[in-house]
Amino acid sequence: MSNSLVVDAETTRTGEIKLHGPEGFEGMRRAGRLAAECLDALSPLVAPGAVTDELDRIAREFILDHGALPACLLYRGYPKATCISINHVVCHGIPGPRQLREGDVVNIDVTVIVDGWHGDHSRMWGVGAISPRAQRLIDVTYEGLARGLAAIRPGARTGDIGHAIQSFVEQQRCSVVTDFCGHGLGRVFHDAPNILHFGKADTGELLRPGMFFTVEPMVNLGRPQVKVLADGWTAVTRDKSLSAQCEHSVGVTETGVEIFTESPAGLFKPT
Ligand code: MF3
Ligand code: CO
Ligand code: CO
């Protein structure tokens, strides 16, 4: 599994990139909003002592109670509804008995399926008081995503997104993880194109109205290398440095970008 994930991130797909119409935008708005509402509901529970498996249970029940499905549950055998990645865990942390502790940097990643459409979304939190280095990592990751999203408009290319993220993150003396990437989505969870969070401007796929994909940079305080633990999922930094991530699902519009996973409660920006 670790190898296949790494290969996913590095293989250029030849698959067609789907272009969606108004019906697709409507579907993605509903899926994206539910994913954001799910994390809005979890947000006040992210505190010292919270058990990650309990946060996952609450997310799963929230999703099912709203007539949706948790896309991650049993996806390629994944055992939970959410990924909860703490400190040096880069992504795909599996919820379990671990309690959140003051000072942790945590990401919760949730994907919902509403009427067949996928809303994929993740946020970062500092648990209680966190170190200045941890806060800086969160700020750089948030701004990295913002700069990637700002590069999206018809006529731009996927490489412009990666370049915007990487140039900012490295200027801040952090590193971008290259083994995992964003992805097309819609009725399919992980589709073409790959959205690399690094790269050269004016390279890659041309962005066109109706394309749907995620942008979900993983940023490390130390080196970019990762490894996947024996559970086949949990990706960690090789140098044990802190890692952070946040993710939006978006659509390319006639004039720019529409973010489907904006928080109705205004809770996306980490405080
Ligand atoms: N939500 C993750 C993403 O951003 C995918 C997690 S797949 C899982 O693409 F199986 F690990 F849940
Ligand atoms: Co994703
Ligand atoms: Co996700």
Side-chain angles (χ1 to χ4, degrees):
M1 186 53 69
S2 60
N3 285 334
S4 72
L5 285 170
V6 170
V7 170
D8 276 355
E10 290 175 355
T11 302
T12 305
R13 300 205 193 151
T14 52
E16 290 263 298
I17 302 173
K18 296 176 183 70
L19 298 180
H20 300 271
E23 196 186 325
F25 275 85
E26 268 310 314
M28 289 301 287
R29 281 178 196 132
R30 281 182 285 133
R33 187 184 316 121
L34 189 69
E37 286 169 348
C38 180
L39 293 188
D40 284 351
L42 288 183
S43 204
L45 308 176
V46 175
V51 176
T52 55
D53 207 25
E54 182 67 0
L55 297 172
D56 180 79
R57 183 187 63 78
I58 292 164
R60 186 184 66 240
E61 287 177 1
F62 181 95
I63 293 163
L64 294 171
D65 285 349
H66 287 79
L69 292 170
C72 294
L73 188 60
L74 303 182
Y75 176 79
R76 299 190 191 184
Y78 187 77
K80 298 288 173 175
T82 62
C83 299
I84 303 187
S85 302
I86 304 170
N87 296 336
H88 72 298
V89 179
V90 172
C91 63
H92 302 165
I94 303 174
R98 167 74 151 90
Q99 293 187 3
L100 301 182
R101 295 192 282 264
E102 177 127 21
D104 284 341
V105 172
V106 59
N107 171 284
I108 305 180
D109 190 338
V110 68
T111 307
V112 303
I113 309 174
V114 177
D115 296 333
W117 295 97
H118 289 74
D120 186 3
H121 179 41
S122 84
R123 294 185 200 163
M124 308 168 280
W125 292 263
V127 180
I130 61 174
S131 70
R133 306 166 62 246
Q135 187 61 53
R136 195 175 77 86
L137 175 66
I138 285 174
D139 293 343
V140 168
T141 307
Y142 181 89
E143 179 65 17
L145 174 58
R147 293 198 180 204
L149 297 176
I152 300 172
R153 56 179 170 75
R157 292 182 179 272
T158 54
D160 295 321
I161 302 170
H163 177 73
I165 295 168
Q166 182 180 28
S167 57
F168 172 73
V169 165
E170 292 182 353
Q171 194 186 306
Q172 299 299 314
R173 288 164 286 105
C174 296
S175 67
V176 174
V177 171
T178 58
D179 282 355
F180 297 96
C181 58
H183 49 91
L185 83 172
R187 292 193 174 276
V188 175
F189 189 178
H190 291 113
D191 204 354
N194 282 340
I195 303 295
L196 305 181
H197 305 112
F198 58 95
K200 285 192 180 34
D202 210 26
T203 65
E205 299 283 356
L206 193 62
L207 302 184
R208 301 175 65 195
M211 286 174 56
F212 297 162
F213 52 82
T214 71
V215 185
E216 47 181 302
M218 284 140 274
V219 175
N220 299 348
L221 270 186
R223 296 175 58 80
Q225 282 77 20
V226 309
K227 65 175 180 184
V228 175
L229 300 185
D231 61 24
W233 287 104
T234 312
V236 300
T237 54
R238 283 193 176 269
D239 65 6
K240 305 266 173 47
S241 67
L242 275 187
S243 186
Q245 178 182 25
C246 51
E247 173 177 27
H248 273 316
S249 294
V250 308
V252 182
T253 66
E254 295 293 334
T255 53
V257 64
E258 176 172 343
I259 299 173
F260 297 127
T261 42
E262 210 79 85
S263 166
L267 297 175
F268 179 65
K269 190 180 167 78
T271 47

